[in-house]
Amino acid sequence: MTADFSVEQKRYLEGFVSGVQAGRTAQGLKPMGADGAPAPAAAMGPDAAHVKAQDATRAKGRKLVDQETWKREEHPFDAYPRLKAQAEAGEYPKPQDNFRWRYYGLFYVAPAQNSYMCRLRIPNGILTHWQLAGLADTAEAYGGGYAHVTTRANLQIREIEATHAVDVVEAVQDLGLTSRGSGADNIRNVTGTPTAGIDPHELLDTRPFARAWHFHVLNDRSLTGLPRKFNVAFDGAGSIAALEETNDIGFQAVEVAEDAPVAAGVYFRLVLGGITGHKDFARDTGVILAPRDATRVADAIVRVFIDSGDRTNRNKARLKYVLDDWGFDKFLFAVEAKLGHPLIRIDGQHVKPRRAPDRLAHIGVHPQKQAGFNWIGLVLPVGKLTAEQMRGVASLARDLGDGDLRLTVWQNLLVSGVADADVTEALTRIAAMGLSAEAAAVRAGLVACTGSTGCKFAAADTKGTAELIAAHVERHLTLDLPVNIHLTGCHHSCAQHYIGDIGLIGAKVPVNDDGDTVEGFHILVGGGSGADATIARELWRDVKSEDCPAAVARLLSAYLAHRADRSETFFTFANRHDTATLMRLAGEQQG
């Protein structure tokens, strides 16, 4: 019968049904259709494209994964009253709602911790001193009194009891920040060059472009509920890498030469399909675009993904697999159809080489493009900040800096705008907080995910093992070049172990024939990013956690003993030898 309804009548009926559903939700009732088959979905409205994709999947006789059914039964953003009711009752969610509440940035992380974790959205990783101070108050009042800096230049507050779930979400919003869409099947926190606007080497200030994308996503519900999570990054070719090649969409600032078929100048180069946990980097599409067009192009790409992403297999539901299936030409043609015009492609020979990032620029004192001012990179022990330290850093930025804090994908932060005359006082205050702006070559590139102390997926304590590795190496070796060591707890690869010079992934290590296991890691070598983008290869399997510090030290000793000269990086050394040779050389060293 709906075929006979006018557009106005259809919209009236959709609004009526939506009102009934909202009323049931407000009363704590399940939405219509939640007891069995998915509820009838609107043919129009912000969720229409997602419903159409789901219907197309089912029409082919394929079964939607549970998460797709949960989204269809009750959209998470329609369920806030039930979240509040659960919080008031002190109840933790069942699996369906654990998924839904991630749309608000809330993750129930049992059994690792019987509590919520709240993940924020901080575009380009930049927040103000008063926002960080407010988050310290929030973490202390409602959480465990600390925060973690993530590998997406973001913050997480942990150990939040059920009764405080909504308190945290709303306290974050009171600060002019948000946690909305930071989990589940959504476009995650947008990253950018942390030194944007202050970097003497950058080609482009990424802040306005990251901000534009951030608000575009927040204010368009049709961009929620994707087949799977989606990452976007902007790199302005500054001193500190944004690791855009590990994202689904990477926008790389490049300079086009005079002899190109387009006007010379700074553009974004478009790279697509990065997901290092699945052993793939984003690949160059040959497309360049004016920076002002980045949001429109990203929007079109996401909408093609909405239409075509796999909704039957969570392991294959990322953009990479659409690109693998379709090829880049077909995919970009679909993007052009969404845009209504062709994309500009140029040969790589017309693009000037990009300056290599400085692997130590996120630590220590560095001069800004603004004469007489500096940014100071603080070392955070595997990304952790106590509430007291958060307040101290906030006060430092307020008193001696420009008021901004800049988070990095290397799990640390920068205080920017520190005058030359104030650097000594700033370093003294940093030390008084129990922090440092100086790092040994290992700690500068030490990255660890949450691990088994706070994540149900992790097979080992990553942060604890990372600290043991750093302490052991510092006691036994002196490294004169930086070495990145990444520890991740599971296959999700939140700490991106595949791009570390040395990568460790958590494992349950067998210790007898009865099936008993202990925490441990598989150890990989030779990963890299940027111009050195390489997937690390496995060197040792099933190394007990307690044995990892000595194993890493032996590997680094072999590097120092056998590198070609003092300028050879560990990356070059590791990729100059096969795994058998590396194992032999390491075996000859003392741990």
Side-chain angles (χ1 to χ4, degrees):
M1 292 179 60
T2 56
D4 299 324
F5 291 156
S6 67
V7 171
E8 290 77 11
Q9 288 171 324
K10 289 180 182 177
R11 287 177 176 163
Y12 171 79
L13 290 172
E14 290 163 5
F16 176 77
V17 172
S18 178
V20 172
Q21 296 280 45
R24 291 176 63 85
T25 298
Q27 299 175 59
L29 301 174
K30 290 183 178 180
M32 294 183 297
D35 293 322
M44 293 182 289
D47 306 323
H50 302 276
V51 171
K52 182 179 178 182
Q54 292 169 341
D55 286 345
T57 298
R58 295 167 65 197
K60 296 175 183 176
R62 304 178 69 195
K63 185 179 184 296
L64 297 174
V65 293
D66 289 341
Q67 290 84 350
E68 292 295 317
T69 301
W70 297 339
K71 287 185 287 189
R72 190 172 175 124
E73 288 174 348
E74 181 184 27
H75 193 287
F77 287 151
D78 293 334
Y80 197 63
R82 286 202 308 104
L83 170 58
K84 293 188 71 171
Q86 286 184 17
E88 289 168 1
E91 296 175 355
Y92 288 109
K94 295 180 180 179
Q96 297 94 319
D97 283 342
N98 187 15
F99 173 78
R100 292 187 181 105
W101 302 159
R102 295 181 182 205
Y103 278 57
Y104 300 96
L106 290 170
F107 295 68
Y108 180 44
V109 294
Q113 294 173 338
N114 190 37
S115 60
Y116 282 110
M117 174 270 283
C118 183
R119 180 188 295 151
L120 278 59
R121 295 186 78 96
I122 304 174
N124 212 120
I126 302 175
L127 70 166
T128 67
H129 67 88
W130 55 268
Q131 287 173 327
L132 184 63
L135 290 173
D137 294 343
T138 301
E140 201 165 63
Y142 303 127
Y146 62 92
H148 285 153
V149 180
T150 77
T151 54
R152 290 204 65 75
N154 202 354
L155 287 172
Q156 294 179 169
I157 297 173
R158 307 192 73 87
E159 298 184 44
I160 302 163
E161 294 183 1
T163 52
H164 293 313
V166 173
D167 293 329
V168 171
V169 169
E170 295 182 353
V172 167
Q173 293 176 354
D174 281 339
L175 293 168
L177 298 168
T178 187
S179 57
R180 189 178 179 89
S182 63
D185 298 348
N186 295 299
I187 300 167
R188 303 298 180 81
N189 187 51
V190 54
T191 56
T193 299
T195 51
I198 63 173
D199 197 319
H201 301 295
E202 70 182 1
L203 292 178
L204 193 68
D205 180 348
T206 60
R207 290 175 297 179
F209 309 106
R211 183 179 185 274
W213 179 243
H214 169 78
F215 284 109
H216 181 75
V217 171
L218 282 184
N219 290 295
D220 191 337
R221 173 163 152 168
S222 68
L223 295 174
T224 67
L226 280 59
R228 200 69 164 82
K229 71 176 182 178
F230 202 96
N231 293 326
V232 179
F234 295 83
D235 186 275
S239 299
I240 304 174
L243 297 181
E244 74 285 351
E245 69 273 14
T246 67
N247 288 252
D248 297 280
I249 300 176
F251 290 106
Q252 299 175 331
V254 296
E255 189 174 2
V256 173
E258 293 287 346
D259 59 347
V262 297
V266 175
Y267 293 80
F268 275 136
R269 175 166 56 192
L270 177 66
V271 299
L272 293 178
I275 173 172
T276 54
H278 293 214
K279 302 183 180 181
D280 211 351
F281 290 97
R283 286 160 279 171
D284 184 13
T285 61
V287 170
I288 62 164
L289 57 143
R292 65 177 179 274
D293 293 331
T295 289
R296 289 197 311 110
V297 172
D299 178 277
I301 292 168
V302 172
R303 293 188 190 282
V304 174
F305 177 60
I306 288 170
D307 296 343
S308 57
D310 192 334
R311 296 178 187 260
T312 68
N313 181 350
R314 301 285 283 180
N315 293 327
K316 300 288 186 181
R318 295 292 297 272
L319 179 63
K320 162 189 161 55
Y321 293 101
V322 178
L323 293 168
D324 287 350
D325 185 31
W326 286 17
F328 274 65
D329 288 342
K330 177 180 177 179
F331 184 84
L332 290 173
F333 180 79
V335 171
E336 291 170 330
K338 293 283 187 186
L339 288 168
H341 63 78
L343 294 163
I344 299 171
R345 296 167 175 80
I346 65 170
D347 192 279
Q349 67 181 359
H350 298 299
V351 176
K352 294 183 180 180
R354 282 164 41 106
R355 182 179 182 274
D358 179 351
R359 292 178 64 175
L360 291 176
H362 63 293
I363 301 296
V365 181
H366 300 269
Q368 297 181 186
K369 65 167 59 175
Q370 295 82 10
F373 292 91
N374 309 270
W375 76 77
I376 303 178
L378 280 65
V379 183
L380 307 183
V382 287
K384 185 175 181 179
L385 274 172
T386 66
E388 182 179 2
Q389 289 171 331
M390 292 165 74
R391 293 190 189 97
V393 172
S395 297
L396 176 64
R398 179 196 64 208
D399 299 343
L400 301 180
D402 58 19
D404 284 347
L405 286 312
R406 296 160 175 264
L407 308 177
T408 84
V409 298
W410 306 102
Q411 290 186 308
N412 77 317
L413 61 80
L414 319 177
V415 177
S416 52
V418 180
D420 290 344
D422 293 328
V423 167
T424 299
E425 181 182 348
L427 295 176
T428 300
R429 288 175 62 165
I430 290 167
M433 299 174 208
L435 300 173
S436 172
E438 299 179 3
V442 169
R443 287 191 188 271
L446 189 64
V447 177
C449 71
T450 300
S452 59
T453 60
C455 176
K456 67 180 180 180
F457 297 110
D461 178 4
T462 54
K463 290 186 182 292
T465 306
E467 285 287 354
L468 293 174
I469 289 172
H472 185 87
V473 170
E474 288 169 355
R475 283 196 305 269
H476 293 85
L477 299 172
T478 300
L479 293 169
D480 48 8
L481 293 175
V483 176
N484 289 348
I485 302 177
H486 295 232
L487 294 88
T488 198
C490 73
H491 66 282
H492 289 125
S493 191
C494 293
Q496 300 176 323
H497 63 289
Y498 281 120
I499 67 169
D501 288 311
I502 301 173
L504 294 86
I505 179 170
K508 293 299 183 184
V509 178
V511 292
N512 56 39
D513 294 335
D514 296 327
D516 295 326
T517 62
V518 297
E519 289 190 359
F521 293 86
H522 307 321
I523 300 179
L524 300 86
V525 295
S529 58
D532 292 332
T534 305
I535 297 297
R537 62 196 190 277
E538 188 173 277
L539 186 65
W540 293 305
R541 289 187 65 82
D542 294 337
V543 180
K544 296 177 184 177
S545 294
E546 63 200 60
D547 297 331
C548 286
V552 171
R554 288 196 302 274
L555 185 56
L556 292 174
S557 294
Y559 158 62
L560 293 175
H562 297 284
R563 59 185 175 177
D565 54 53
R566 292 176 63 88
S567 67
E568 185 175 41
T569 65
F570 182 88
F571 171 84
T572 302
F573 167 79
N575 286 288
R576 186 163 57 83
H577 297 290
D578 59 29
T579 53
T581 302
L582 290 172
M583 291 173 67
R584 177 178 58 79
L585 294 176
E588 296 170 354
Q589 305 299 318
Q590 295 294 318

